[in-house]
Amino acid sequence: MSQEPLYIQIKQYIEDRIDQGVWPVGERISTEMELTEQFAVSRMTVNKAIRDLVGEGKLERRPRLGTFVTSPAEKAQSPFLILATSPKKWPLAVNSIQVKWFDMKQPKRIS
């Protein structure tokens, strides 16, 4: 038996199925309950593996539809990640569609 935690083993299983083309991009993967029964683990263990893959951009959750394979290029960049990587600029507006920026300037001194 492997020394790795169960969620990592399940994560690797899902990645292998994606790499082998069993679950191509756009395909819905097995449900959490199906994976729970298949591996005889708790739902939270399967959930952790899926959350990690969602965070890496390999999977996407769609409410009431399931979890789908996505290509890394399709992963939307979080506005918070944009904020953290955009020095000297501040967001004017952040929403799910676009981020508008204005340049941060040094305050003018009044003599």
Side-chain angles (χ1 to χ4, degrees):
M1 180 155 261
S2 177
Q3 296 293 329
E4 294 181 328
L6 290 173
Y7 82 93
I8 292 179
Q9 294 177 43
I10 295 168
K11 181 180 168 184
Q12 186 61 51
Y13 168 81
I14 295 169
E15 289 177 319
D16 289 345
R17 306 249 324 168
I18 292 169
D19 293 342
Q20 295 167 358
V22 176
W23 292 327
V25 172
E27 184 81 16
R28 185 179 66 82
I29 68 167
S30 298
T31 66
E32 283 186 12
M33 289 308 296
E34 291 168 344
L35 292 169
T36 296
E37 291 172 5
Q38 180 178 346
F39 290 99
V41 296
S42 75
R43 189 182 66 78
M44 291 309 298
T45 301
V46 172
N47 182 274
K48 170 68 172 146
I50 291 174
R51 280 186 291 132
D52 282 3
L53 291 168
V54 168
E56 293 172 13
K58 296 178 181 178
L59 296 177
E60 173 188 22
R61 290 187 174 210
R62 297 180 191 160
R64 292 186 285 274
L65 295 176
T67 304
F68 294 80
V69 178
T70 184
S71 66
E74 291 177 4
K75 183 181 177 189
Q77 191 173 18
S78 165
F80 299 109
L81 181 59
I82 294 170
L83 291 175
T85 59
S86 299
K88 297 186 180 180
K89 290 195 174 191
W90 292 91
L92 182 60
V94 178
N95 60 37
S96 62
I97 299 172
Q98 67 184 59
V99 177
K100 294 181 181 178
W101 297 95
F102 66 93
D103 288 321
M104 185 175 74
K105 297 180 179 180
Q106 294 293 332
K108 294 181 180 179
R109 292 188 177 168
I110 301 175
S111 309

